[in-house]
Amino acid sequence: MRPSGIIVWLTGRPASGKSTLASAVADRMRALGRTVAWLDSDEVRRTRMPELGFGEADRDTFYSRLGDLALEAARHHDVVLVSATAPRVRYRDEVRGRAARFIEVFVTAPEPTLMARDPKGLYAQARGGALTQLPGVGAAYESPPHPELVCDTGTATVDAGAETIVSYLVPLFPSGPSAPAR
């Protein structure tokens, strides 16, 4: 029987670089012959759960379902990358408690960097009062108390952050490429 894959949950405030790092890690792991699934919260929300909003009850539902998707994907892939804010520790801990292998990566950057990046204009909307539920601004963001890795994208390059994650992952696999996904 195929061992369960590793769920790598990249958490951090909006614009911290979670998706950018996940993309770079996915490319590197595939180049090493590993099967990879990538669940990006924006994409999953848009394509699979567009009915869910950003209030507390909808966030609870969204992160529960996202966790279920990650656990299912881990049955078929070596690495499951989840790039999702998941602003409550309990969202991530629930998946950790159910996963055979789970790595939490805290993606962080100084607030001025987050605001300067602001690719979706979320911080500007929050400052203007149009967005009241932005994690870390109008809603709580609970940093992981004991992440396996921390990537500060305010000081490190994407390549350096991705290499940190890949270097952590590689020893967790037996040598040689994985079996094809089913």
Side-chain angles (χ1 to χ4, degrees):
M1 183 173 168
R2 181 182 194 294
S4 183
I6 299 170
I7 296 174
V8 180
W9 197 297
L10 292 91
T11 181
R13 288 180 54 191
S16 60
K18 301 175 295 294
S19 298
T20 302
L21 268 177
S23 177
V25 171
D27 290 346
R28 284 170 171 75
M29 293 306 294
R30 287 182 184 121
L32 293 172
R34 296 292 162 199
T35 59
V36 177
W38 175 18
L39 300 172
D40 183 73
S41 63
D42 289 341
E43 186 66 17
V44 170
R45 185 180 285 278
R46 185 182 66 75
T47 61
R48 292 182 160 227
M49 301 177 226
E51 74 283 3
L52 296 176
F54 293 92
E56 195 68 29
D58 279 355
R59 280 185 205 244
D60 289 350
T61 300
F62 176 76
Y63 286 113
S64 176
R65 290 181 188 172
L66 182 61
D68 289 344
L69 287 171
L71 290 159
E72 177 60 28
R75 294 179 55 217
H76 305 283
H77 296 84
D78 294 324
V79 177
V80 178
L81 297 164
V82 181
S83 49
T85 299
R88 302 277 188 215
V89 169
R90 66 183 163 86
Y91 297 148
R92 302 178 308 261
D93 281 353
E94 180 185 324
V95 179
R96 180 189 293 274
R98 295 172 56 204
R101 301 191 291 172
F102 184 93
I103 296 167
E104 188 172 33
V105 180
F106 180 36
V107 184
T108 186
E111 186 148 336
T113 302
L114 300 176
M115 290 183 185
R117 286 179 186 156
D118 203 11
K120 300 176 209 165
L122 299 175
Y123 289 97
Q125 290 176 50
R127 283 191 306 269
L131 182 62
T132 60
Q133 293 297 314
L134 184 65
V137 178
Y141 174 76
E142 299 169 357
S143 300
H146 306 290
E148 282 75 11
L149 295 170
V150 176
C151 290
D152 184 340
T153 61
T155 58
T157 65
V158 172
D159 285 338
E163 193 53 41
T164 296
I165 297 168
V166 170
S167 294
Y168 189 92
L169 287 173
V170 167
L172 303 177
F173 292 103
S175 56
S178 64
R182 293 180 208 151

